[in-house]
Amino acid sequence: MFGPTNSLANEYQQLCPAALIERAVLCGEGELTNLGALVVTSDAYTEKTPSNRFIVEEPSTREALEWSQVNQTFTCRQFDDLWSGVSNYLADRDTYSTDLHVGQDLEYYLPIHLKTETAWHTLVGQTLYSRPSTYNPKNKEVWSILHAAHFECDPVRDGTQGKGAVIIHFGRRKILLAGLLCAGEIKKALLTVQNFLLPEKDVLPLHCAANIGSDGAVCLFLGASGAGKTILSLDSNRALIGDDEHAWGKDTLFNLENGCYAKCLNLSEINDPEISQAIRFGALLENVVIDPTSHLPDFADTRLTHNSRACYPLSHINHRFRAITAPEPSMVIMLVHDLSGLLPIVAQLSHEAATYHFLTGYSNRLDRIPQSPDRAEAAGAEVEDKIVPVFSPCFCAPCLPRPATLYADLFLQRLKAQGAQVYLVNTGWYGGPANEGGKPISRMQTRRVISAIHQGEILGADATDLQPLNLTIPSRLEGIDSALLDPRRAWPSVSAYEQAANRLAALFVENFKQYSVDDIIINAGPRGPAKPSRAL
């Protein structure tokens, strides 16, 4: 039922990265590029699949979780049967296991035992998490992760939605990943676990990057995937703490990971020197097309996916923070890659406005829609690009097991206690939508804005209100075009901007109706339709 038997199966324990790479090449899991990195493919499973995520319903989760299409219920019996089936499947195959810590802080780390059927998935685990010199020094209860990438679930037999599934059992501290090759499933499952456990200790997990200046000032970069967290947190004048997952507690900020899992579409040595230099022996490329002759990666080739990834240890970054914990952040930047061209390049947020936008988690995407549904399958059918708004609470909806307002409350508490300055930064478009003549904001302009935030220049700038989005924007900032600061100036007309902004504000208002929060937070967000403005 679960595959052929192999009496010669071996379990490789605690192999070092070099040995895992050697095994991956030997077993045909991947090949080495000319850069020295291991390259692998995830076949059809190139995207994370929240619809296939389940959580076992038992006493510790029954009342604490927000059950939904993301947090789907799974019974204890279903879990036991599938865990047993996957264990039997792995017993007949070579496997790899390693002991790791999730979280750098010695008070809040999570000890895990990861067992996989592929060397490269264990390499990802070792790259993203810590291999401490002393494992589990506080003798905490260990979490077991069983990862069978090539196992195929049977929805009828196993109670899953498809051939792959991620199932978390908090009561028994177990995670089962079956039939999913995408390495991102490992990190998102563990972030989900920490999102459940850490708030009970008054610690807030965040989907964010972080860096620190020579003065000890820590800056967080929140945002949806693709907003620019990895790129903008890499700064030659500041040390990188981490690029994706952190936890914020009283008197501490720490990385939940020990490596990076960065998007690498259109990566170039000129524009992305730090990441390019990190892709060497010990790093892994996932779903990147390799030239068969030169063995060089082509980061612009999207034949496999637009979601190609580079996984590398933090030790490959020269400007990195070497301590295991950092001070609490004094600056928080919310990044939005806005395709609508409606957001300013920067806005200053009150703590209540920051909480509103944290709960909203606004981003958008560009979908290709057939103009005529009945011709969708026809060769050469005309399509149009449509900007679709996305609201992902806390910029992390697929990994939130508890109600979003719980994280928002903790976020507001942390902001107020620390007195952190908060900013909204648009890394996307201006002058109109991306599909209707808008222009992309250059990375140089974005970095200039980030520098103004770090240097405190923006605090002394004159400010004005941008309605109906209810944002406070600087009237002038050295080195930044006024059309970027006030997006109304860049559109063909103020009235065209306001019509589009009113539609977006209405979407914000409608989406936020699901949350029961204080009026001061609601009033800090976008409002109803604005009155027409005079020409600027």
Side-chain angles (χ1 to χ4, degrees):
M1 179 184 295
F2 295 106
T5 60
N6 176 11
S7 60
L8 300 178
N10 298 297
E11 182 175 359
Y12 297 92
Q13 300 183 22
Q14 313 300 337
L15 293 185
C16 67
L20 289 168
I21 293 169
E22 184 178 53
R23 287 289 305 168
V25 173
L26 180 66
C27 298
E29 297 176 10
E31 59 180 316
L32 291 178
T33 71
N34 195 47
L35 305 174
L38 178 69
V39 60
V40 300
T41 57
S42 300
D43 298 329
Y45 303 103
T46 59
E47 304 288 344
K48 295 178 287 295
T49 52
S51 62
N52 283 340
R53 212 273 302 288
F54 300 86
I55 297 177
V56 176
E57 184 178 355
E58 37 81 26
S60 71
T61 60
R62 187 166 293 120
E63 301 298 329
L65 261 70
E66 184 169 68
W67 301 100
S68 65
Q69 291 182 339
V70 173
N71 299 318
Q72 301 175 92
T73 60
F74 213 69
T75 69
C76 289
R77 180 173 180 177
Q78 286 175 315
F79 181 86
D80 290 342
D81 289 345
L82 189 51
W83 183 277
S84 178
V86 173
S87 297
N88 291 336
Y89 165 90
L90 290 177
D92 297 326
R93 288 161 174 78
D94 287 350
T95 56
Y96 306 84
S97 61
T98 188
D99 295 326
L100 304 166
H101 284 181
V102 180
Q104 301 276 17
D105 193 301
L106 291 178
E107 181 65 30
Y108 301 112
Y109 75 89
L110 187 73
I112 66 169
H113 177 78
L114 172 65
K115 183 175 182 178
T116 75
E117 69 168 310
T118 46
W120 77 265
H121 281 102
T122 290
L123 176 66
V124 168
Q126 289 190 358
T127 303
L128 290 179
Y129 302 106
S130 299
R131 299 182 70 202
S133 55
T134 302
Y135 174 68
N136 197 15
K138 292 203 169 186
N139 197 31
K140 297 183 178 182
E141 294 179 314
V142 176
W143 277 71
S144 296
I145 304 177
L146 209 55
H147 188 289
H150 299 291
F151 180 92
E152 289 191 1
C153 299
D154 182 332
V156 175
R157 179 193 67 205
D158 302 321
T160 59
Q161 296 283 359
K163 294 182 179 180
V166 178
I167 310 168
I168 303 173
H169 196 319
F170 284 98
R172 295 184 185 169
R173 298 175 300 282
K174 289 182 175 181
I175 302 174
L176 180 61
L177 298 104
L180 298 170
L181 278 81
C182 176
E185 298 290 356
I186 298 173
K187 65 190 263 80
K188 294 307 178 187
L190 285 168
L191 179 57
T192 300
V193 170
Q194 290 287 47
N195 270 331
F196 182 79
L197 299 177
L198 288 177
E200 292 181 341
K201 302 175 181 179
D202 207 30
V203 175
L204 174 65
L206 291 166
H207 180 210
C208 71
N211 63 22
I212 185 170
S214 58
D215 58 355
V218 171
C219 180
L220 301 187
F221 297 81
L222 280 71
S225 179
K229 297 186 297 297
T230 297
I231 296 298
L232 294 174
S233 60
L234 288 168
D235 187 331
S236 59
N237 296 314
R238 301 173 66 84
L240 178 70
I241 300 173
D243 84 322
D244 198 49
E245 299 176 7
H246 295 79
W248 183 1
K250 188 178 185 303
D251 299 325
T252 185
L253 179 93
F254 59 95
N255 197 345
L256 291 175
E257 302 179 324
N258 197 36
C260 301
Y261 186 63
K263 285 179 176 288
C264 54
L265 178 62
N266 295 324
L267 186 75
S268 73
E269 192 168 353
I270 294 176
N271 294 326
D272 312 289
E274 298 91 346
I275 299 177
S276 296
Q277 293 166 16
I279 300 174
R280 57 183 191 265
F281 186 78
L284 178 142
L285 296 176
E286 185 179 1
N287 298 314
V288 174
V289 175
I290 304 298
D291 184 278
T293 303
S294 68
H295 279 242
L296 288 171
D298 184 351
F299 294 113
D301 194 321
T302 59
R303 281 178 289 172
L304 294 176
T305 180
H306 285 76
N307 193 31
S308 55
R309 295 281 180 157
C311 182
Y312 49 88
L314 280 173
S315 60
H316 283 196
I317 299 294
N318 292 327
H319 298 283
R320 69 183 185 278
F321 186 63
R322 298 174 187 270
I324 60 174
T325 61
E328 292 190 59
S330 57
M331 293 168 285
V332 176
I333 297 174
M334 294 186 181
L335 301 172
V336 180
H337 191 75
D338 179 38
L339 299 174
S340 72
L342 293 168
L343 295 183
I345 192 171
V346 62
Q348 190 169 1
L349 303 178
S350 67
H351 291 158
E352 290 75 21
T355 304
Y356 181 101
H357 286 280
F358 181 66
L359 257 180
T360 299
Y362 169 70
S363 65
N364 46 37
R365 66 176 188 268
L366 201 62
D367 286 354
R368 307 206 73 192
I369 309 295
Q371 289 187 348
S372 177
D374 59 341
R375 296 181 59 202
E377 301 299 327
E382 294 183 0
V383 297
E384 62 176 340
D385 292 331
K386 182 178 180 181
I387 296 174
V388 179
V390 177
F391 298 104
S392 179
C394 313
F395 301 103
C396 195
C399 301
L400 297 184
R402 298 180 184 272
T405 50
L406 179 147
Y407 305 97
D409 287 345
L410 193 49
F411 182 61
L412 181 58
Q413 291 174 30
R414 286 279 168 265
L415 290 177
K416 287 185 174 296
Q418 183 62 12
Q421 296 290 327
V422 190
Y423 304 88
L424 185 72
V425 172
N426 176 16
T427 61
W429 297 71
Y430 74 104
N435 59 342
E436 296 179 17
K439 299 177 182 179
I441 298 172
S442 71
R443 189 182 299 177
M444 180 179 68
Q445 291 282 328
T446 303
R447 286 201 177 278
R448 173 69 193 98
V449 164
I450 299 296
S451 176
I453 292 173
H454 288 156
Q455 299 302 321
E457 297 174 42
I458 198 169
L459 292 176
D462 292 336
T464 187
D465 289 337
L466 179 66
Q467 298 299 346
L469 300 179
N470 199 17
L471 295 173
T472 301
I473 58 176
S475 301
R476 183 180 178 277
L477 204 58
E478 185 176 349
I480 301 297
D481 191 321
S482 61
L484 289 170
L485 294 174
D486 189 338
R488 295 171 296 184
R489 297 179 181 274
W491 276 59
S493 70
V494 174
S495 62
Y497 172 85
E498 290 181 339
Q499 289 176 21
N502 280 330
R503 290 193 294 269
L504 179 60
L507 292 175
F508 270 80
V509 171
E510 184 63 29
N511 171 74
F512 210 76
K513 288 179 180 178
Q514 65 184 294
Y515 302 119
S516 297
V517 297
D518 290 342
D519 285 346
I520 191 172
I521 295 175
I522 297 173
N523 294 333
R527 300 168 180 171
K531 296 180 180 179
S533 299
R534 297 178 180 178
L536 297 175

